[in-house]
Amino acid sequence: MKARIRITLKNGVLDPQGKAIQHALGGLGFAGVEDVRQGKYIEVKLNETDEAKAKDAIEKMCKDLLANTVIENYSYELVA
Amino acid sequence: MKARIRITLKNGVLDPQGKAIQHALGGLGFAGVEDVRQGKYIEVKLNETDEAKAKDAIEKMCKDLLANTVIENYSYELVA
């Protein structure tokens, strides 16, 4: 079972990487880019077939290691 | 219209960040983690309501700036 985890900065937290990308896109001639936010994407392959157990494990991984929940949100989906 | 872009290293390209996360998860007692790959997640908010045009723009952004297509894959979904 594989988890696709997205970790993003919370709204209101300054995102200089996103701003840099937005600026670069403007410089390349892309018009109409209103906002860019950059986050992390992590794929975790688990040796676990039970969806509920996998979900528990991923939830705990996000809280303990992957995301800084003070300034970051996380979301994930499980795929077989 | 918002695009959620995931950029990942191609299979076979060494991913030291992913390996470091895998090692750290093992150290925290998470068993059964077979593989971890880290990539980038970028949200781009576009001032564009036409889905086909938004798709063209995002595709071009990925190729021109966001992803290094020699070693990275990208995928995205558009949300209203």
Side-chain angles (χ1 to χ4, degrees):
Chain A
M1 190 153 254
K2 205 161 72 171
R4 292 176 176 164
I5 305 166
R6 289 186 296 258
I7 296 163
T8 50
L9 287 167
K10 286 185 179 173
N11 282 335
V13 178
L14 192 68
D15 179 5
Q17 273 189 304
K19 288 290 168 227
I21 293 171
Q22 187 176 356
H23 186 77
L25 287 173
L28 286 172
F30 290 101
V33 178
E34 285 180 347
D35 193 27
V36 179
R37 304 281 288 173
Q38 166 146 20
K40 282 178 283 186
Y41 173 72
I42 301 172
E43 274 185 6
V44 177
K45 204 170 160 190
L46 284 177
N47 179 10
E48 174 68 73
T49 49
D50 184 88
E51 193 166 332
K53 278 187 199 163
K55 210 173 157 174
D56 284 352
I58 294 293
E59 191 79 36
K60 198 163 183 314
M61 283 176 199
C62 288
K63 283 189 183 138
D64 288 0
L65 179 73
L66 303 177
N68 174 353
T69 52
V70 177
I71 54 165
E72 290 173 328
N73 290 323
Y74 61 88
S75 63
Y76 57 88
E77 58 216 28
L78 292 167
V79 286
Chain B
M1 192 155 250
K2 205 161 72 173
R4 293 176 175 164
I5 304 165
R6 290 185 295 258
I7 295 164
T8 50
L9 287 167
K10 286 185 181 175
N11 283 335
V13 178
L14 192 68
D15 178 6
Q17 272 189 303
K19 288 290 168 224
I21 293 171
Q22 187 177 354
H23 186 77
L25 287 172
L28 285 172
F30 290 101
V33 178
E34 285 180 347
D35 194 26
V36 179
R37 305 281 287 174
Q38 165 146 20
K40 283 179 281 185
Y41 173 72
I42 301 172
E43 274 184 6
V44 177
K45 206 171 160 190
L46 284 177
N47 179 12
E48 174 67 73
T49 48
D50 185 87
E51 193 166 332
K53 277 187 200 164
K55 210 172 157 176
D56 283 353
I58 294 295
E59 191 78 35
K60 198 165 183 315
M61 283 177 199
C62 287
K63 282 187 184 141
D64 288 0
L65 179 72
L66 303 177
N68 174 354
T69 53
V70 178
I71 53 165
E72 290 172 330
N73 289 323
Y74 61 88
S75 63
Y76 56 89
E77 59 215 27
L78 292 166
V79 286

